[in-house]
Amino acid sequence: MKQQTVLTRENNSVELPENNLRKFKQNFSGKLLFAGDKGYNEARTVWNGIINRHPAIIAQCRSRNDIQAAVNFARENNLLLSVKGGGHHVAGGAVCNQGLMIDLSEMKKVTPDFENKSLKAEAGATWGDVDTATQKRGMAVPGGLVSTTGIAGLTLGGGLGWLRRKHGLSSDNLQSVKIVTADGNLLTVNNHSHSDLFWAVRGGGSGFGIVASFEYKMHKIGPDVMICMVFYPIEEAENVLKFYVKHSEKIPHETSVLMILGTIPQGHHYPEEWHGKNFILVAAMYAGDLKEGEKILKPFRELGKPITDMSGPMKYTEMQTFFDDDYPKKELNYYWKSLFFDDLSDDAIAKIIELGKSRPSSLSTVDIWQMGGAIDEFSKIKTAFPHRGAKHLLGVESNWRGEVTNEVNIQWTKNAISNFMPLLGGNSYINFEENDKANLKNALGKHYEKLQSIKNKYDPEGVFQTMTKQR
C-alpha cells in the first residue's frame, strides 16, 4: 500500500500519507482497490457508458462497520467522496475522479418478513433482487421499471414504477432506514427517531448520509398482472395522446400508464416492415383482478391499427424486466431530463410528437408518465418528495451508441427541455437529473431550503457532496 494522490472536497490535489491508508485498512474488512488492481476497472464502471471516472481509492464495503470506517476516513482526510449503490443513476454520481468511492454493491442481502408484510434490504441490492425475494409469496415493494436499478438511488429520489398509482412511490413505502451520518455514527431513522432526517431521505435525494439498509412495506401483487403493451404508428400519436388526456383522470388507481415515442428495433417481436419506423407505445399495468384489468385497459388497445399488441396477463417479475434489454449496462451512453406538468394542451401534444420525430438517436425516447393516484394520497408533510399533485411527467431520454456524437444528443435533450419550459413549467424529477445546484433546486422545489437546513444539521462540514453546505 503506497502513498496516493487524492482530491480534497475543495478539489485540491494532495498526497495522502501511506500511514493514513494503513490505519484505514486496519478498521476495514472489505477490499480496497487502486488503479491497476484486479477488479478496479469493473468497480469504477457504472451503468451509463458515458461515465469514465477514476477514483483514487475504491472501498468495497461488506458491512455497516465498513461504511462507518470509510466515512470516518473520508472526513478525517477531507477527501472528495462518492457513493455507489446499484450504480444506475443516469448522471453517474456514484463515481468521483481522484477521490474515495464507497462501493456498497456487494451488500445485497434481502430479507422479507411475509408475516408482517415488511422487507429489509441492504443498499447494494437491485429491484431484481427484491422482486425475486418478494414474489416467492406473491408480494412486492413498489420499485422501478428496470430490474438492474439499485434500490438506494431510486428510493432516495422518490421512486417511480408500475405500482406508483396503486401503492405510491418507493420512498412512500419506507418504514425505516439505517444510515451512517457524516460523523460516522449509525442511526436508526424513522417517524419516531430523527424524523427530520427520515423526512429528507424519502424523496429528497442523497447527500444526507449513507443509507446502509432500508425497511419497506410489502403489498400483495401477482404473481400475474394484466398489462397493456400496444405499439401504434407515430401517425396515431395525436389520437392516442388526446385520448389519454381525456381519460387519464378517470383511470382507477390500480392502473399506471406510460407512453413512449421511439423507434421500432429489429427483432422477432416486431413485424419486419416496421423495423426502423417511429412508434407511440401505450404501456400500462393493472395491479388487481385480471378480468377487471383487461376491461380497463381495453380502450387503449382500440385506438387504431397497432404495429403489434403484446397485451395480456403477464408475470409481475416479467413486467419488471420488460424494458431491461433497452437499457444495457455500459453498452449505451445516457443523458436524461424531465419536467412535471398538469395540463397536456393541444400545442404541447404537437410539440411532443415533433420532438419524438426529431430524435438524433433511434434509441432515444420521449416518455409521458401518468402520475396521481396513491402518490397524491400521501400527506405533503410526510416526505420530501415535492411533486404531489402533478398529473404527468415528461421524460426526455437520450440513449445512444456512436452513431451521433455525445454533444448532439446532450444538446438535443437540453433544447427539448428549454422549449417545453414555457408550456409545462420548471419542476423536474431528481432521479433523471444531474447533481448541480440549479438542477437540485428544480427537482426539490419548495422543499429545497428545508432540505438544505437538514443537510447542514447532519453534515455541517459537507462530507457528502450531493447537496453542498451553504457557506
Side-chain angles (χ1 to χ4, degrees), residues 261-276:
L261 286 79
T263 302
I264 295 287
Q266 294 185 2
H268 66 278
H269 294 301
Y270 310 98
E272 187 174 351
E273 65 269 23
W274 286 100
H275 291 178

Side-chain angles (χ1 to χ4, degrees), residues 390-404:
K391 295 178 181 178
H392 319 280
L393 172 67
L394 173 69
V396 183
E397 298 187 3
S398 273
N399 314 313
W400 71 97
R401 285 192 171 92
E403 70 273 25
V404 185

Side-chain angles (χ1 to χ4, degrees), residues 17 44 51 59 61 74 79 82 84 87 93 97 105 144 156 199 201 216 268 270 348 358 439 466 468:
R44 75 175 182 86
I51 305 301
C61 299
L79 298 181
S82 66
K84 177 183 176 182
N97 265 323
S105 60
L156 294 174
W199 179 88
V201 300
Y216 300 95
H268 66 278
Y270 310 98
S358 71
N439 282 313
T466 305
T468 55

Side-chain angles (χ1 to χ4, degrees), residues 236-274:
E236 299 285 352
E238 182 179 0
N239 180 43
V240 170
L241 290 171
K242 287 185 175 180
F243 178 87
Y244 166 76
V245 170
K246 184 176 180 180
H247 294 278
S248 61
E249 292 192 32
K250 304 174 186 177
I251 298 171
H253 293 182
E254 287 82 2
T255 306
S256 294
V257 179
L258 171 66
M259 289 176 293
I260 301 174
L261 286 79
T263 302
I264 295 287
Q266 294 185 2
H268 66 278
H269 294 301
Y270 310 98
E272 187 174 351
E273 65 269 23
W274 286 100

Side-chain angles (χ1 to χ4, degrees), residues 172-246:
D172 293 336
N173 289 271
L174 270 182
Q175 296 178 313
S176 179
V177 300
K178 301 281 188 182
I179 185 170
V180 177
T181 50
D183 56 10
N185 288 326
L186 178 68
L187 304 180
T188 299
V189 174
N190 52 44
N191 278 324
H192 309 290
S193 175
H194 305 284
S195 58
D196 57 343
L197 186 54
F198 189 52
W199 179 88
V201 300
R202 300 178 79 186
S206 58
F208 303 95
I210 300 178
V211 178
S213 62
F214 299 79
E215 182 177 1
Y216 300 95
K217 292 184 293 187
M218 292 195 299
H219 303 274
K220 179 67 177 174
I221 297 292
D224 293 325
V225 292
M226 184 58 66
I227 70 160
C228 174
M229 198 67 67
V230 56
F231 292 76
Y232 291 107
I234 193 67
E235 290 75 19
E236 299 285 352
E238 182 179 0
N239 180 43
V240 170
L241 290 171
K242 287 185 175 180
F243 178 87
Y244 166 76
V245 170
K246 184 176 180 180

Side-chain angles (χ1 to χ4, degrees), residues 59-74:
Q60 292 187 320
C61 299
R62 294 175 181 166
S63 67
R64 296 168 185 169
N65 289 340
D66 282 347
I67 300 174
Q68 290 177 275
V71 169
N72 287 333
F73 176 66

Side-chain angles (χ1 to χ4, degrees), residues 434-448:
E434 298 160 287
N435 288 332
D436 62 72
K437 188 172 182 179
N439 282 313
L440 285 172
K441 281 194 168 184
N442 288 337
L444 299 175
K446 60 186 176 183
H447 290 164
Y448 180 83

